[in-house]
Amino acid sequence: MKYKITVVGLGPGSEDGLTLGALKALRQASSVVLRTEMHGITPFLKAQGIKYTSMDDIYQKGEDFDRVYELMVNRIMDMAQSGQVAVGVPGHPLIGERLTFELLRRLDVESYDIDIIPGISSADELLALIGQAGIEGLKILSAPEMTEDLINVRLATVVINMYDSLVASDVKLLLLRFYPHDLEVFISWQSRDKGLEYRAVPLYEIDRQQRYDHTTCLYIPPVEFKRLESFDMNHLKQIMEILRSPEGCPWDREQTHESLRRYLLEEAYEVIESIDRRDEDKLLEELGDVLLQVVFHSQIARERGAFDIFDVITRICQKMIERHTHIFGDAVAENAQQVVANWEDLKKREKGFVTHTQILRDIPSILPALVRSYKVQEKAALVGFDWENVEGAMQKLEEELMELKEVYKGGDEQRIREEIGDLLFAAVNVARFLKVDPELALKDTIEKFIDRFEYIEENAKRPLQDMTLEEMDELWNQAKKRFLAQKHV
C-alpha cells in the first residue's frame, strides 16, 4: 500500500489566485496541513469549511532551517499514515518551495505517491501586474538560497521569499556586485484587503522598505552590458564577437592564431612578473589579459567552425574531473605525491602513450630550456631514473664542470657547447632536488646583477669604461654587502 500526499499550491494569497484544481484537492483530502497559516488564503479556506492545521509551531522548535524542514517532513509522513494528506504551500509548489523539494528528496517512491497541484506564484502575479513578459527568458530565484553563481543580468529575474530586511540586505549586496546601484526594480507584497501591491525603487533601497513577509518579491529587469560596471564570461565573449564583426575593430579582425602567439607569451610573463612583485592589483589586470587571449583564440576558432569558448571550458572541466579521480571517483590519494602519480598515469592512458619516452617527448619544445629540462627530469624521476639524494646531483654537477674545464682549452666549439649544456642540465637537477625553480632563480639573479651594476655606475668616480676591473669589483662588493644588509633588515 502506498501513502498518498498531495502538495497543493495555494497561490499568492487571494482567492482569485487559488485554482479550481487546488480547491478540489483540499476538499477531497482526509486531512489538510499548511506549511504556514500566515497566508492571505486562510480566511477563504475557513469560509469554504476546509479544516486545516498548520506547521507554524515547528518554526519555533527548529534550531535552523534544515531542522525545521526535517520536522515538517516527519509530521507529514505521520499524517499520511491515517489517509490522504494535502500539504498547502504558498505560491507554486515547485517555485522556491523547499518543503516540496525535501518531500521529493526524502520520501521513497515505493512507499509514497506524491502529486503536485500547481499554483500561481508571487512571481507570476508580479510579472502580470507590471506587464513584463520575459520573452527572452525568466529566472526565478529564492532569496535565502541566492548565490553569485545564479545571477544572470541578461535575463529578467524575480527573487521570491525575501521575507525580512536582513534577507533583503543580503540580496542587495549580491546584486550590487553585478547591477547598477540606481537600477529601477519592482518590489511587491500581498495584502489581504488590496491584493498584490508593488512599488518601483532603485536597487540600493530594496532593504529599506517598510514591509517584508513571505509574499515579498523583487523584479529585476535585464540589463545591457553597456550599463554594467561588473561583467561575466558571456559579456567578454560578446565584446569579442563585436570586435571581430565586420563593423568591429580593423586590428582585431585581422588577427589570427599565428599573429597572436607572441601576445599570449608576453601576457603570461607579465602575470609572473606581477606575482614576483606581489602586486595583486597588477595581477588582477594581467590575468584578465591572459583570459582575453583565450577568448580571442576561441572566437577565431568559432568563426572557422572548429570550437568556441564553451568547448574550451567544457574540455578543461572534463579533464579536471577525469584527472581528479581521488575527488570525483574511487581512487585514493593521501598526499600530493600520490596525486601527481595518479595524474600522470591518467594522462598517459588518455594520450595512448606506451613508453615513458613518449611522455618526455610530449613536453613542449617551445618551453624555455631551463623549464623544459626541469620537467623532463621530473618525468624521468617518476620511473626511478633519478639520484637518491641531492649529494648525487651535486657530484654530477662537479663532474660536468670538470669536463667543461677539460675541453674548453681545446677550442672544439661543438664539444664546448655540449659540455655547457650538460653543466646547465646538471645545475637544473640540483635545483630540482632543492625544490627551486631554476627559471625563476635565474630571473632573480639577473635582476640582482642589474641592481648591483646600477650601484657601480651610480657610485663610480669616472666613466665605467675608464675604470679598472679591480675598481669596479670593489664597488660590486660594496653593493653586495649593502643589498644583503637591506634584505635582512
Side-chain angles (χ1 to χ4, degrees), residues 124 128 164 200 245 305 384 441 461:
D124 296 323
D164 63 31
S245 71
K461 303 300 183 182

Side-chain angles (χ1 to χ4, degrees), residues 19 81 111 131 189 201 309 362 456:
T19 68
Q81 307 292 319
S111 302
W189 61 93
V201 299
I309 186 62
D362 189 53
I456 294 173

Side-chain angles (χ1 to χ4, degrees), residues 65-277:
F65 278 116
D66 290 338
R67 180 59 176 162
V68 163
Y69 286 105
E70 180 183 356
L71 292 173
M72 286 184 177
V73 171
N74 290 341
R75 181 174 294 183
I76 293 167
M77 292 170 64
D78 291 340
M79 293 177 68
Q81 307 292 319
S82 303
Q84 179 180 353
V85 57
V87 181
V89 297
H92 192 298
L94 296 176
I95 298 180
E97 181 53 59
R98 181 172 173 180
L99 180 56
T100 309
F101 168 78
E102 295 293 344
L103 287 168
L104 293 172
R105 183 176 71 89
R106 291 188 55 192
L107 300 189
D108 184 2
V109 294
E110 298 295 327
S111 302
Y112 291 90
D113 190 2
I114 302 176
D115 285 342
I116 306 292
I117 306 298
I120 299 173
S121 72
S122 299
D124 296 323
E125 193 173 25
L126 175 58
L127 289 172
L129 195 60
I130 63 178
Q132 297 294 327
I135 192 169
E136 295 180 351
L138 175 68
K139 198 172 187 71
I140 299 178
L141 301 174
S142 177
E145 286 80 33
M146 276 184 66
T147 64
E148 291 181 351
D149 295 339
L150 299 176
I151 295 173
N152 186 342
V153 298
R154 289 169 295 282
L155 296 180
T157 301
V158 177
V159 181
I160 61 175
N161 296 334
M162 203 165 68
Y163 51 78
D164 63 31
S165 60
L166 291 176
V167 173
S169 179
D170 290 339
V171 169
K172 181 182 79 171
L173 292 175
L174 277 174
L175 295 177
L176 287 178
R177 175 80 190 273
F178 303 94
Y179 292 91
H181 75 284
D182 59 349
L183 177 69
E184 184 180 74
V185 298
F186 294 91
I187 191 167
S188 70
W189 61 93
Q190 189 78 35
S191 64
R192 294 195 178 189
D193 53 344
K194 298 180 182 178
L196 188 71
E197 298 182 55
Y198 75 94
R199 67 166 56 102
V201 299
L203 178 59
Y204 67 86
E205 289 187 0
I206 66 171
D207 59 344
R208 304 177 188 176
Q209 305 308 302
Q210 295 298 315
R211 176 177 174 180
Y212 301 93
D213 59 34
H214 66 279
T215 69
T216 304
C217 287
L218 176 69
Y219 172 81
I220 313 162
V223 182
E224 293 184 358
F225 75 82
K226 294 178 182 178
R227 283 202 62 193
L228 298 175
E229 296 178 2
S230 180
F231 302 89
D232 61 24
M233 177 64 79
N234 282 289
H235 291 124
L236 182 55
K237 171 180 172 290
Q238 184 179 357
I239 291 169
M240 183 51 64
E241 288 174 355
I242 293 171
L243 294 176
R244 290 278 298 180
S245 71
E247 299 77 26
C249 172
W251 186 88
D252 289 291
R253 290 201 310 268
E254 290 178 358
Q255 301 311 305
T256 65
H257 290 309
E258 291 73 23
S259 69
L260 291 172
R261 289 170 70 240
R262 71 183 184 93
Y263 297 109
L264 182 57
L265 280 172
E266 289 172 6
E267 302 301 354
Y269 279 120
E270 288 179 9
V271 167
I272 294 172
E273 184 176 53
S274 63
I275 292 172
D276 290 345
R277 293 181 177 178

Side-chain angles (χ1 to χ4, degrees), residues 265 269 272 276 366-375 424 427-429 431-432 435-447:
L265 280 172
Y269 279 120
I272 294 172
D276 290 345
I366 197 172
L367 287 174
L370 289 179
V371 175
R372 189 178 181 216
S373 60
Y374 192 99
K375 293 179 75 69
L424 292 173
V428 170
N429 222 350
R432 182 175 59 85
K435 295 181 170 45
V436 172
D437 187 317
E439 185 77 18
L440 298 181
L442 182 57
K443 177 180 174 297
D444 291 343
T445 297
I446 293 169
E447 295 299 325

